[in-house]
Amino acid sequence: MTAMSELRQRSDEDAVVHPGGGEGSGTVISDRRLLRGARSRQAIVRHAVDVASLEGLGGLSLGRLATDLGISKSGVQTLFGTKENLQAAAVEVAREVFNEAVVHPARTVPRGAARVRALIERWIEYAEVPLFPGGCFWAANLADFDSRPGRVRDALFHCQRDWRDLIAAELRHAADAGEIAALDVDLAAFQIDAVLMAANTALRIGDEEAGDVVDKVRRVAEGFLAPPR
């Protein structure tokens, strides 16, 4: 179901007549309105994430989303207030969606080298499918905010730092367990992340076959996961 159809369905649901009007009916209606607001906000933000993956967070506006979804601008403004609030909400939802698709599934795999491989495989799927229309959400937005201090930049870079820290932690676990040779795990995580960003660009541009891009990512990763000699 699209974000637009979800919003229209919720509007229809809220039009249901509640007979009786007895004690507690006002609370029920109020609760329904709160629920409608929360669901509408979720649908709007999810659409904002898709738009931002294609055009960047700078391309978001309350009016743009209202037009896209066929709802009033005042309704969107009531939910978010400012463009910055909307952008920050989009970053948070993108993080949640990314974690659900990439991080959480990988946590079912044993820690160390196996989990690093799982994280990379899930990331490849995330970028190749892609999960967001424009590919990697972070690749689409980090560069635009690297020189723009504020809560949106802080949120973006916090997510990137968490991702690198996760890779570094699993590399450290693998090295401590003797699965891989000793290495600078922070540097290795930085390099892996850089390769993933480059892979996203290559997949979006299409200047190489997707299989070749994926193969390069795996080869780079395996270079860090080689067992000690």
Side-chain angles (χ1 to χ4, degrees):
M1 182 181 292
T2 66
M4 184 183 297
S5 61
E6 287 176 1
L7 287 172
R8 287 174 176 168
Q9 179 179 333
R10 288 162 197 156
S11 178
D12 292 341
E13 289 172 352
D14 286 324
V16 173
V17 175
H18 298 276
E23 184 179 354
S25 63
T27 301
V28 171
I29 293 172
S30 177
D31 287 347
R32 285 178 61 82
R33 286 174 177 168
L34 289 172
L35 183 59
R36 178 190 62 182
R39 288 177 173 174
S40 296
R41 188 180 191 278
Q42 184 179 36
I44 292 168
V45 177
R46 188 61 182 84
H47 180 64
V49 171
D50 287 344
V51 172
S53 76
L54 288 163
E55 303 175 18
L57 286 162
L60 293 181
S61 72
L62 304 179
R64 159 71 184 277
L65 294 182
T67 299
D68 287 353
L69 298 172
I71 57 179
S72 69
K73 180 179 177 180
S74 62
V76 179
Q77 190 163 20
T78 297
L79 289 170
F80 298 97
T82 67
K83 177 177 178 176
E84 183 181 54
N85 288 341
L86 174 62
Q87 291 172 325
V91 174
E92 176 60 21
V93 168
R95 182 190 67 81
E96 292 173 358
V97 174
F98 176 83
N99 284 344
E100 187 68 26
V102 178
V103 177
H104 295 168
R107 284 181 173 158
T108 64
V109 175
R111 293 201 62 188
R115 190 172 293 183
V116 173
R117 291 187 179 96
L119 286 167
I120 290 172
E121 288 302 318
R122 297 298 301 190
W123 189 96
I124 289 170
E125 183 178 353
Y126 150 78
E128 195 174 17
V129 170
L131 181 61
F132 303 123
C136 179
F137 182 87
W138 321 110
N141 289 285
L142 282 165
D144 288 343
F145 281 84
D146 59 2
S147 300
R148 297 166 61 181
R151 58 192 288 234
V152 177
R153 185 186 75 165
D154 290 347
L156 285 167
F157 280 86
H158 179 75
C159 293
Q160 184 192 39
R161 185 173 62 249
D162 283 351
W163 171 243
R164 288 179 182 170
D165 287 348
L166 175 60
I167 295 173
E170 295 306 329
L171 288 170
R172 184 177 296 108
H173 189 279
D176 290 345
E179 294 181 309
I180 63 175
L183 76 171
D184 183 332
V185 296
D186 292 324
L187 176 59
F190 181 91
Q191 291 172 318
I192 290 172
D193 182 53
V195 169
L196 296 178
M197 289 291 189
N200 177 77
T201 300
L203 289 170
R204 302 282 73 76
I205 294 174
D207 60 346
E208 295 183 64
E209 291 293 331
D212 292 339
V213 174
V214 169
D215 181 62
K216 288 177 180 177
V217 170
R218 289 174 176 148
R219 285 162 55 196
V220 169
E222 287 303 320
F224 293 107
L225 299 176
R229 296 179 180 177

